Coordinates of all heavy atoms in Angstrom, one line a residue:
M179 N -44.9 -47.0 34.5 CA -45.9 -47.5 33.6 C -45.8 -46.6 32.3 O -45.8 -45.4 32.4 CB -47.3 -47.4 34.2 CG -48.4 -47.7 33.3 SD -49.9 -47.7 34.3 CE -51.0 -48.1 33.0
L180 N -45.8 -47.3 31.2 CA -45.7 -46.6 29.9 C -47.2 -46.5 29.4 O -47.9 -47.4 29.4 CB -44.9 -47.3 28.9 CG -43.4 -47.4 29.2 CD1 -42.7 -48.2 28.2 CD2 -42.8 -46.0 29.3
Y181 N -47.5 -45.3 28.8 CA -48.8 -45.1 28.2 C -48.6 -45.3 26.7 O -47.7 -44.7 26.1 CB -49.4 -43.8 28.5 CG -49.7 -43.6 30.0 CD1 -48.8 -43.1 30.9 CD2 -50.9 -44.1 30.4 CE1 -49.2 -43.0 32.2 CE2 -51.3 -44.0 31.8 CZ -50.4 -43.4 32.7 OH -50.7 -43.3 34.0
Q182 N -49.5 -46.0 26.1 CA -49.4 -46.2 24.6 C -49.9 -44.9 24.0 O -50.9 -44.3 24.5 CB -50.1 -47.4 24.1 CG -49.5 -48.7 24.6 CD -50.2 -49.9 24.1 OE1 -51.3 -49.8 23.5 NE2 -49.7 -51.0 24.3
A183 N -49.4 -44.5 22.8 CA -49.8 -43.3 22.2 C -51.3 -43.5 21.7 O -51.6 -44.6 21.2 CB -48.9 -43.1 20.9
M184 N -52.1 -42.5 22.0 CA -53.5 -42.6 21.6 C -53.6 -42.0 20.2 O -52.9 -41.0 19.8 CB -54.3 -41.8 22.5 CG -54.3 -42.3 23.9 SD -55.5 -41.5 25.0 CE -55.4 -39.8 24.6
E185 N -54.4 -42.5 19.4 CA -54.6 -42.0 18.0 C -55.6 -40.9 18.0 O -55.8 -40.2 17.0 CB -55.1 -43.1 17.1 CG -54.0 -44.1 16.9 CD -54.3 -45.1 15.8 OE1 -55.2 -44.8 14.9 OE2 -53.7 -46.2 15.8
K186 N -56.3 -40.6 19.2 CA -57.2 -39.5 19.3 C -56.5 -38.3 19.6 O -55.5 -38.3 20.3 CB -58.2 -39.8 20.4 CG -59.1 -41.0 20.1 CD -60.0 -41.3 21.2 CE -60.8 -42.6 20.9 NZ -61.7 -42.9 22.1
K187 N -57.0 -37.1 19.1 CA -56.4 -35.8 19.4 C -56.9 -35.4 20.8 O -58.1 -35.4 21.0 CB -56.8 -34.9 18.3 CG -56.1 -33.5 18.5 CD -56.5 -32.5 17.5 CE -55.9 -31.2 17.8 NZ -56.3 -30.1 17.0
I188 N -56.0 -34.9 21.6 CA -56.3 -34.3 22.9 C -56.6 -32.8 22.6 O -55.7 -32.1 22.2 CB -55.3 -34.6 23.9 CG1 -55.1 -36.1 24.2 CG2 -55.6 -33.9 25.2 CD1 -54.0 -36.4 25.1
T189 N -57.8 -32.4 22.9 CA -58.1 -31.0 22.6 C -57.8 -30.0 23.8 O -57.6 -30.5 24.9 CB -59.6 -30.9 22.3 OG1 -60.3 -31.2 23.5 CG2 -60.1 -31.8 21.2
R190 N -57.7 -28.8 23.4 CA -57.5 -27.8 24.5 C -58.7 -27.7 25.4 O -58.5 -27.4 26.6 CB -57.3 -26.4 23.8 CG -55.9 -26.3 23.2 CD -55.7 -24.9 22.7 NE -54.4 -25.0 22.0 CZ -53.6 -23.9 21.8 NH1 -54.1 -22.7 22.2 NH2 -52.4 -24.0 21.2
K191 N -59.9 -28.1 25.0 CA -61.0 -28.1 25.8 C -60.8 -29.1 27.0 O -61.2 -28.8 28.1 CB -62.3 -28.6 25.0 CG -63.6 -28.5 25.8 CD -64.7 -29.0 25.1 CE -65.1 -28.2 23.8 NZ -66.3 -28.7 23.2
R192 N -60.1 -30.2 26.7 CA -59.8 -31.2 27.8 C -58.8 -30.6 28.8 O -59.0 -30.7 30.0 CB -59.2 -32.4 27.2 CG -58.8 -33.5 28.2 CD -58.2 -34.7 27.5 NE -57.5 -35.6 28.4 CZ -58.1 -36.5 29.1 NH1 -59.4 -36.7 29.0 NH2 -57.5 -37.3 30.0
H193 N -57.8 -29.9 28.3 CA -56.8 -29.2 29.2 C -57.5 -28.2 30.0 O -57.2 -28.0 31.2 CB -55.7 -28.5 28.4 CG -54.8 -29.5 27.7 ND1 -53.9 -30.3 28.5 CD2 -54.5 -29.8 26.4 CE1 -53.2 -31.0 27.6 NE2 -53.6 -30.7 26.4
I194 N -58.5 -27.4 29.5 CA -59.2 -26.4 30.2 C -60.1 -27.1 31.3 O -60.1 -26.6 32.5 CB -60.0 -25.5 29.3 CG1 -59.1 -24.7 28.4 CG2 -61.0 -24.7 30.1 CD1 -59.8 -23.9 27.3
A195 N -60.7 -28.2 30.9 CA -61.6 -28.9 31.9 C -60.7 -29.4 33.1 O -61.1 -29.3 34.2 CB -62.4 -30.0 31.2
K196 N -59.6 -30.0 32.7 CA -58.7 -30.5 33.8 C -58.2 -29.4 34.7 O -58.1 -29.5 35.9 CB -57.5 -31.2 33.2 CG -57.8 -32.6 32.6 CD -56.6 -33.2 31.9 CE -55.4 -33.5 32.9 NZ -54.3 -34.1 32.3
T197 N -57.9 -28.3 34.1 CA -57.4 -27.1 34.8 C -58.5 -26.6 35.8 O -58.2 -26.4 37.0 CB -57.1 -25.9 33.8 OG1 -56.1 -26.3 33.0 CG2 -56.7 -24.7 34.6
I198 N -59.7 -26.5 35.4 CA -60.8 -26.1 36.2 C -61.1 -27.1 37.4 O -61.2 -26.6 38.5 CB -62.1 -25.8 35.4 CG1 -61.8 -24.6 34.5 CG2 -63.3 -25.5 36.3 CD1 -62.9 -24.4 33.4
T199 N -61.2 -28.3 37.1 CA -61.5 -29.3 38.1 C -60.4 -29.4 39.1 O -60.7 -29.5 40.3 CB -61.9 -30.7 37.5 OG1 -60.8 -31.2 36.7 CG2 -63.1 -30.7 36.7
W200 N -59.2 -29.4 38.7 CA -58.1 -29.4 39.6 C -58.0 -28.2 40.5 O -57.7 -28.3 41.7 CB -56.7 -29.6 38.9 CG -55.6 -29.6 39.9 CD1 -54.6 -28.7 39.9 CD2 -55.3 -30.6 40.9 NE1 -53.7 -29.0 41.0 CE2 -54.2 -30.2 41.6 CE3 -56.0 -31.7 41.4 CZ2 -53.6 -30.9 42.7 CZ3 -55.5 -32.4 42.4 CH2 -54.3 -32.0 43.1
R201 N -58.3 -27.0 39.9 CA -58.3 -25.8 40.7 C -59.4 -25.8 41.7 O -59.2 -25.2 42.8 CB -58.5 -24.6 39.7 CG -57.5 -23.5 39.7 CD -56.1 -23.7 40.4 NE -56.1 -23.6 41.8 CZ -55.4 -24.4 42.6 NH1 -54.5 -25.2 42.1 NH2 -55.4 -24.2 43.9
V202 N -60.5 -26.3 41.4 CA -61.6 -26.4 42.4 C -61.1 -27.2 43.6 O -61.3 -26.7 44.8 CB -62.9 -27.0 41.8 CG1 -63.9 -27.3 42.9 CG2 -63.5 -26.1 40.8
I203 N -60.5 -28.3 43.4 CA -60.0 -29.1 44.5 C -58.9 -28.3 45.3 O -59.0 -28.3 46.5 CB -59.4 -30.4 44.0 CG1 -60.6 -31.3 43.4 CG2 -58.6 -31.2 45.1 CD1 -60.1 -32.5 42.6
G204 N -58.0 -27.7 44.6 CA -56.9 -27.0 45.2 C -57.4 -25.8 46.0 O -56.9 -25.4 47.0
T205 N -58.4 -25.1 45.4 CA -59.0 -23.9 46.1 C -59.7 -24.3 47.4 O -59.6 -23.6 48.4 CB -59.9 -23.1 45.1 OG1 -59.1 -22.7 44.0 CG2 -60.5 -21.9 45.8
I206 N -60.5 -25.3 47.3 CA -61.1 -25.8 48.6 C -60.1 -26.1 49.6 O -60.3 -25.7 50.8 CB -62.1 -27.0 48.3 CG1 -63.3 -26.5 47.4 CG2 -62.5 -27.6 49.6 CD1 -64.1 -27.7 46.9
D207 N -59.0 -26.8 49.2 CA -58.0 -27.1 50.2 C -57.3 -25.8 50.8 O -57.2 -25.7 52.0 CB -56.9 -27.9 49.5 CG -55.7 -28.2 50.4 OD1 -55.9 -28.9 51.4 OD2 -54.6 -27.9 50.0
T208 N -57.1 -24.8 49.9 CA -56.5 -23.6 50.4 C -57.4 -22.8 51.3 O -57.0 -22.3 52.3 CB -56.1 -22.7 49.2 OG1 -55.1 -23.4 48.4 CG2 -55.5 -21.4 49.6
M209 N -58.7 -22.8 51.0 CA -59.7 -22.1 51.8 C -59.7 -22.8 53.2 O -59.7 -22.1 54.2 CB -61.0 -22.1 51.2 CG -61.2 -21.2 50.0 SD -62.8 -21.4 49.3 CE -62.8 -20.1 48.1
L210 N -59.8 -24.1 53.2 CA -59.8 -24.8 54.5 C -58.6 -24.6 55.3 O -58.6 -24.3 56.5 CB -60.0 -26.3 54.3 CG -61.4 -26.7 53.8 CD1 -61.5 -28.1 53.4 CD2 -62.5 -26.3 54.8
L211 N -57.4 -24.6 54.7 CA -56.1 -24.4 55.4 C -56.1 -22.9 55.9 O -55.6 -22.7 57.0 CB -54.9 -24.7 54.5 CG -54.7 -26.2 54.2 CD1 -53.6 -26.3 53.1 CD2 -54.4 -26.9 55.4
G212 N -56.5 -22.0 55.1 CA -56.5 -20.6 55.5 C -57.4 -20.4 56.7 O -57.1 -19.6 57.7
W213 N -58.5 -21.0 56.7 CA -59.5 -20.9 57.8 C -58.9 -21.6 59.1 O -58.9 -21.0 60.2 CB -60.8 -21.6 57.4 CG -61.9 -21.7 58.5 CD1 -61.9 -21.1 59.7 CD2 -63.1 -22.3 58.4 NE1 -63.1 -21.3 60.3 CE2 -63.8 -22.1 59.6 CE3 -63.7 -23.1 57.4 CZ2 -65.1 -22.6 59.8 CZ3 -65.0 -23.6 57.6 CH2 -65.7 -23.3 58.8
I214 N -58.3 -22.8 58.9 CA -57.7 -23.5 60.1 C -56.6 -22.7 60.7 O -56.5 -22.5 61.9 CB -57.3 -24.9 59.7 CG1 -58.5 -25.8 59.4 CG2 -56.4 -25.6 60.7 CD1 -58.2 -27.1 58.6
I215 N -55.7 -22.2 59.9 CA -54.5 -21.5 60.4 C -54.9 -20.1 61.0 O -54.4 -19.8 62.1 CB -53.5 -21.3 59.2 CG1 -52.9 -22.6 58.8 CG2 -52.4 -20.3 59.6 CD1 -52.1 -22.6 57.6
S216 N -55.9 -19.4 60.4 CA -56.2 -18.1 60.9 C -57.4 -18.1 61.9 O -57.5 -17.2 62.7 CB -56.6 -17.2 59.7 OG -57.9 -17.6 59.2
G217 N -58.2 -19.1 61.8 CA -59.4 -19.2 62.7 C -60.5 -18.4 62.1 O -61.6 -18.3 62.7
D218 N -60.3 -17.7 61.0 CA -61.4 -16.9 60.4 C -61.7 -17.4 59.0 O -60.9 -17.4 58.1 CB -60.8 -15.4 60.3 CG -61.8 -14.4 59.7 OD1 -62.9 -14.8 59.2 OD2 -61.5 -13.2 59.7
P219 N -63.0 -17.9 58.8 CA -63.3 -18.5 57.5 C -63.2 -17.4 56.4 O -63.0 -17.8 55.2 CB -64.8 -18.9 57.7 CG -65.3 -18.2 58.9 CD -64.1 -17.9 59.8
M220 N -63.4 -16.2 56.7 CA -63.4 -15.1 55.6 C -61.9 -14.9 55.1 O -61.7 -14.6 53.9 CB -64.0 -13.8 56.1 CG -65.5 -13.9 56.2 SD -66.4 -14.6 54.8 CE -66.0 -13.5 53.5
I221 N -61.0 -15.1 55.9 CA -59.6 -15.1 55.5 C -59.3 -16.3 54.5 O -58.7 -16.1 53.5 CB -58.6 -15.1 56.7 CG1 -58.7 -13.7 57.4 CG2 -57.2 -15.3 56.2 CD1 -57.8 -13.6 58.6
G222 N -59.8 -17.4 54.9 CA -59.7 -18.6 54.0 C -60.3 -18.4 52.7 O -59.7 -18.7 51.6
V223 N -61.5 -17.8 52.7 CA -62.2 -17.5 51.4 C -61.4 -16.4 50.6 O -61.3 -16.6 49.4 CB -63.7 -17.0 51.7 CG1 -64.3 -16.4 50.4 CG2 -64.5 -18.1 52.2
S224 N -60.9 -15.4 51.3 CA -60.1 -14.4 50.6 C -58.9 -14.9 49.9 O -58.6 -14.7 48.7 CB -59.7 -13.3 51.5 OG -60.8 -12.6 52.1
I225 N -58.1 -15.7 50.6 CA -56.9 -16.4 50.1 C -57.3 -17.3 48.9 O -56.7 -17.2 47.9 CB -56.2 -17.1 51.2 CG1 -55.6 -16.2 52.2 CG2 -55.0 -18.0 50.6 CD1 -55.1 -16.9 53.5
G226 N -58.3 -18.1 49.2 CA -58.7 -19.1 48.1 C -59.2 -18.4 46.9 O -58.9 -18.8 45.7
S227 N -59.9 -17.3 47.0 CA -60.4 -16.5 45.8 C -59.2 -16.0 45.0 O -59.3 -16.0 43.7 CB -61.3 -15.4 46.3 OG -62.4 -15.9 46.9
L228 N -58.2 -15.4 45.6 CA -57.1 -14.9 44.9 C -56.3 -16.0 44.2 O -55.9 -15.9 43.0 CB -56.2 -14.1 45.8 CG -56.7 -12.8 46.3 CD1 -55.8 -12.2 47.4 CD2 -56.9 -11.8 45.2
E229 N -56.0 -17.1 44.9 CA -55.2 -18.1 44.3 C -56.0 -18.9 43.2 O -55.4 -19.5 42.4 CB -54.6 -19.0 45.4 CG -55.6 -19.9 46.1 CD -55.8 -21.3 45.5 OE1 -54.9 -22.0 45.1 OE2 -57.0 -21.6 45.4
L230 N -57.3 -18.9 43.3 CA -58.1 -19.6 42.3 C -57.7 -19.1 40.9 O -57.4 -19.9 40.0 CB -59.6 -19.3 42.5 CG -60.5 -19.9 41.4 CD1 -60.5 -21.4 41.4 CD2 -61.9 -19.4 41.7
I231 N -57.7 -17.8 40.7 CA -57.4 -17.3 39.4 C -56.0 -17.4 39.0 O -55.7 -17.9 37.9 CB -57.8 -15.8 39.3 CG1 -59.4 -15.7 39.5 CG2 -57.4 -15.1 38.0 CD1 -59.8 -14.3 39.8
T232 N -55.1 -17.1 39.8 CA -53.6 -17.1 39.5 C -53.2 -18.6 39.2 O -52.5 -18.8 38.2 CB -52.8 -16.5 40.5 OG1 -52.9 -17.1 41.8 CG2 -53.1 -15.0 40.7
K233 N -53.6 -19.5 40.1 CA -53.1 -20.9 39.9 C -53.7 -21.6 38.7 O -53.1 -22.5 38.1 CB -53.2 -21.7 41.2 CG -52.2 -21.2 42.2 CD -52.3 -22.1 43.4 CE -51.2 -21.6 44.5 NZ -51.3 -22.3 45.7
M234 N -55.0 -21.2 38.4 CA -55.6 -21.8 37.2 C -54.8 -21.4 35.9 O -54.6 -22.2 35.1 CB -57.1 -21.4 37.1 CG -57.9 -22.2 36.2 SD -59.6 -21.8 36.1 CE -60.1 -21.1 37.6
I235 N -54.5 -20.1 35.8 CA -53.7 -19.7 34.7 C -52.4 -20.3 34.6 O -51.9 -20.8 33.6 CB -53.6 -18.1 34.7 CG1 -55.0 -17.5 34.5 CG2 -52.6 -17.7 33.7 CD1 -55.0 -16.0 34.9
L236 N -51.7 -20.4 35.7 CA -50.3 -21.0 35.8 C -50.4 -22.5 35.4 O -49.6 -23.0 34.7 CB -49.7 -20.9 37.2 CG -49.3 -19.4 37.5 CD1 -48.9 -19.4 39.0 CD2 -48.1 -19.0 36.7
Y237 N -51.4 -23.2 36.0 CA -51.6 -24.6 35.7 C -51.8 -24.9 34.2 O -51.3 -25.8 33.6 CB -52.7 -25.3 36.5 CG -52.9 -26.7 36.1 CD1 -52.0 -27.7 36.6 CD2 -53.9 -27.1 35.2 CE1 -52.2 -29.0 36.3 CE2 -54.0 -28.5 34.9 CZ -53.2 -29.4 35.4 OH -53.3 -30.7 35.0
Y238 N -52.7 -24.1 33.6 CA -53.0 -24.3 32.2 C -51.7 -24.2 31.3 O -51.5 -25.1 30.5 CB -54.0 -23.2 31.7 CG -54.3 -23.3 30.2 CD1 -55.1 -24.3 29.7 CD2 -53.6 -22.4 29.3 CE1 -55.3 -24.4 28.3 CE2 -53.8 -22.5 28.0 CZ -54.7 -23.5 27.5 OH -54.9 -23.6 26.1
F239 N -50.9 -23.2 31.5 CA -49.7 -23.0 30.7 C -48.7 -24.1 31.1 O -48.0 -24.6 30.2 CB -49.1 -21.6 30.9 CG -49.9 -20.6 30.2 CD1 -50.6 -19.7 30.9 CD2 -50.0 -20.6 28.8 CE1 -51.4 -18.7 30.2 CE2 -50.7 -19.6 28.1 CZ -51.4 -18.7 28.8
H240 N -48.6 -24.5 32.3 CA -47.8 -25.7 32.7 C -48.2 -26.9 32.0 O -47.4 -27.7 31.5 CB -47.9 -25.8 34.2 CG -47.1 -26.9 34.8 ND1 -47.6 -28.2 35.1 CD2 -45.7 -27.0 35.1 CE1 -46.7 -29.0 35.5 NE2 -45.5 -28.3 35.5
E241 N -49.5 -27.2 32.0 CA -50.0 -28.4 31.3 C -49.7 -28.3 29.8 O -49.3 -29.3 29.2 CB -51.5 -28.5 31.5 CG -52.2 -29.6 30.8 CD -52.0 -31.0 31.5 OE1 -51.4 -31.0 32.6 OE2 -52.4 -32.0 30.9
R242 N -49.9 -27.2 29.2 CA -49.6 -27.1 27.7 C -48.1 -27.3 27.4 O -47.8 -27.9 26.4 CB -50.1 -25.7 27.2 CG -51.6 -25.5 27.2 CD -52.3 -26.4 26.3 NE -51.9 -26.2 25.0 CZ -52.1 -27.1 24.0 NH1 -52.7 -28.2 24.3 NH2 -51.7 -26.9 22.8
M243 N -47.3 -26.8 28.3 CA -45.8 -27.0 28.1 C -45.5 -28.4 28.2 O -44.7 -29.0 27.4 CB -45.0 -26.1 29.0 CG -45.0 -24.7 28.7 SD -44.0 -23.6 29.7 CE -43.9 -24.3 31.3
W244 N -46.0 -29.1 29.2 CA -45.7 -30.6 29.3 C -46.3 -31.4 28.1 O -45.7 -32.3 27.7 CB -46.3 -31.1 30.6 CG -45.3 -31.0 31.7 CD1 -45.2 -30.1 32.7 CD2 -44.2 -31.9 31.9 NE1 -44.2 -30.3 33.5 CE2 -43.5 -31.4 33.1 CE3 -43.7 -33.0 31.3 CZ2 -42.4 -32.0 33.6 CZ3 -42.6 -33.6 31.8 CH2 -41.9 -33.1 32.9
Y245 N -47.4 -30.9 27.6 CA -48.1 -31.6 26.5 C -47.2 -31.5 25.2 O -47.1 -32.4 24.4 CB -49.4 -31.0 26.2 CG -50.1 -31.7 25.1 CD1 -50.7 -33.0 25.2 CD2 -50.3 -31.0 23.8 CE1 -51.3 -33.6 24.1 CE2 -50.9 -31.7 22.8 CZ -51.5 -32.9 22.9 OH -52.1 -33.5 21.9
K246 N -46.5 -30.4 25.1 CA -45.6 -30.2 23.9 C -44.2 -30.9 24.0 O -43.6 -31.1 23.0 CB -45.4 -28.7 23.7 CG -46.7 -28.0 23.2 CD -46.5 -26.6 23.0 CE -47.8 -25.9 22.5 NZ -47.6 -24.6 22.1
T247 N -43.8 -31.3 25.2 CA -42.5 -31.9 25.4 C -42.6 -33.4 25.1 O -43.6 -34.0 25.3 CB -41.9 -31.6 26.8 OG1 -40.6 -32.1 26.8 CG2 -42.7 -32.2 27.9
K248 N -41.5 -33.9 24.7 CA -41.4 -35.4 24.5 C -40.8 -36.1 25.7 O -40.6 -37.3 25.7 CB -40.5 -35.7 23.3 CG -41.0 -35.0 22.0 CD -42.2 -35.7 21.5 CE -42.6 -35.1 20.1 NZ -44.0 -35.2 19.9
F249 N -40.5 -35.4 26.8 CA -39.8 -35.9 27.9 C -40.7 -37.1 28.5 O -41.8 -37.0 28.8 CB -39.7 -34.9 29.0 CG -39.0 -35.4 30.3 CD1 -37.6 -35.5 30.3 CD2 -39.7 -35.7 31.4 CE1 -37.0 -36.0 31.5 CE2 -39.1 -36.2 32.5 CZ -37.8 -36.4 32.5
G250 N -40.0 -38.3 28.6 CA -40.7 -39.4 29.2 C -41.6 -40.2 28.3 O -42.3 -41.1 28.8
I251 N -41.6 -39.8 27.0 CA -42.5 -40.6 26.1 C -41.6 -41.3 25.1 O -40.6 -40.8 24.5 CB -43.4 -39.6 25.3 CG1 -44.3 -38.8 26.2 CG2 -44.1 -40.3 24.2 CD1 -45.1 -37.7 25.6
R252 N -41.8 -42.6 24.9 CA -41.1 -43.4 24.0 C -41.9 -43.8 22.8 O -43.1 -44.0 22.9 CB -40.6 -44.7 24.7 CG -39.7 -44.5 25.8 CD -39.2 -45.9 26.3 NE -38.6 -45.8 27.6 CZ -38.3 -46.8 28.3 NH1 -38.6 -48.0 27.9 NH2 -37.7 -46.7 29.5
N253 N -41.3 -43.9 21.7 CA -41.9 -44.5 20.5 C -42.0 -46.0 20.6 O -41.1 -46.6 21.3 CB -41.2 -44.1 19.2 CG -41.3 -42.6 18.9 OD1 -42.2 -41.9 19.3 ND2 -40.2 -42.1 18.4
E254 N -42.9 -46.6 20.0 CA -43.0 -48.1 20.0 C -41.7 -48.7 19.6 O -41.2 -49.7 20.1 CB -44.1 -48.6 19.1 CG -45.5 -48.4 19.7 CD -45.7 -49.3 20.9 OE1 -45.3 -50.5 20.9 OE2 -46.2 -48.8 21.9
Q255 N -41.0 -48.2 18.6 CA -39.7 -48.7 18.1 C -38.6 -48.7 19.1 O -37.8 -49.6 19.2 CB -39.2 -48.0 16.8 CG -40.2 -48.1 15.6 CD -41.3 -47.0 15.7 OE1 -41.3 -46.1 16.5 NE2 -42.4 -47.3 14.9
E256 N -38.6 -47.6 19.9 CA -37.6 -47.5 21.0 C -37.9 -48.5 22.1 O -36.9 -48.9 22.8 CB -37.6 -46.1 21.6 CG -37.2 -45.0 20.6 CD -37.4 -43.6 21.2 OE1 -37.8 -43.5 22.4 OE2 -37.2 -42.6 20.5
H257 N -39.1 -48.8 22.3 CA -39.5 -49.7 23.4 C -39.1 -51.2 23.1 O -38.8 -51.9 24.0 CB -41.0 -49.6 23.7 CG -41.4 -50.4 24.9 ND1 -40.9 -50.2 26.2 CD2 -42.3 -51.4 25.0 CE1 -41.5 -51.0 27.0 NE2 -42.3 -51.8 26.3
N258 N -39.2 -51.6 21.9 CA -38.9 -53.0 21.5 C -37.5 -53.3 21.5 O -36.5 -52.8 21.5 CB -39.5 -53.3 20.1 CG -41.1 -53.2 20.2 OD1 -41.6 -53.5 21.3 ND2 -41.7 -52.9 19.1

């Protein structure tokens, strides 16, 4: 599916909001998996707390790099 270019500017605030909401989902998943695997909910919380910060930072820069690349984006003239 091709997305048409939006004339609106996508702000860094949007990237930050996406980063935070995705990390909340990912962290809950990590905490649950850590708890299930170890049998100790505090180990799940410990693992989740550490990865919350590191993965949020990594995702933000990953998202910004993808935003700057033209990979997979076509101009209208190329599509016709």
Side-chain angles (χ1 to χ4, degrees):
M179 177 176 179
L180 296 175
Y181 294 95
Q182 294 182 353
M184 298 186 320
E185 293 190 21
K186 297 178 183 176
K187 182 180 178 188
I188 298 174
T189 65
R190 287 186 180 200
K191 187 186 295 187
R192 177 180 169 86
H193 289 294
I194 291 169
K196 284 177 64 179
T197 300
I198 292 168
T199 57
W200 177 245
R201 234 17 283 142
V202 168
I203 293 167
T205 298
I206 290 169
D207 178 58
T208 299
M209 288 178 175
L210 291 173
L211 289 173
W213 179 5
I214 290 167
I215 292 169
S216 71
D218 183 349
M220 289 313 296
I221 289 177
V223 170
S224 297
I225 294 168
S227 297
L228 289 173
E229 67 89 49
L230 172 65
I231 296 167
T232 59
K233 288 187 179 174
M234 196 177 331
I235 293 166
L236 291 170
Y237 177 80
Y238 175 80
F239 287 111
H240 179 260
E241 177 77 6
R242 292 297 299 160
M243 288 186 328
W244 270 100
Y245 181 72
K246 290 180 181 188
T247 184
K248 302 288 185 209
F249 180 80
I251 298 174
R252 294 185 195 169
N253 293 327
E254 283 294 317
Q255 297 83 15
E256 294 174 3
H257 184 63
N258 294 331

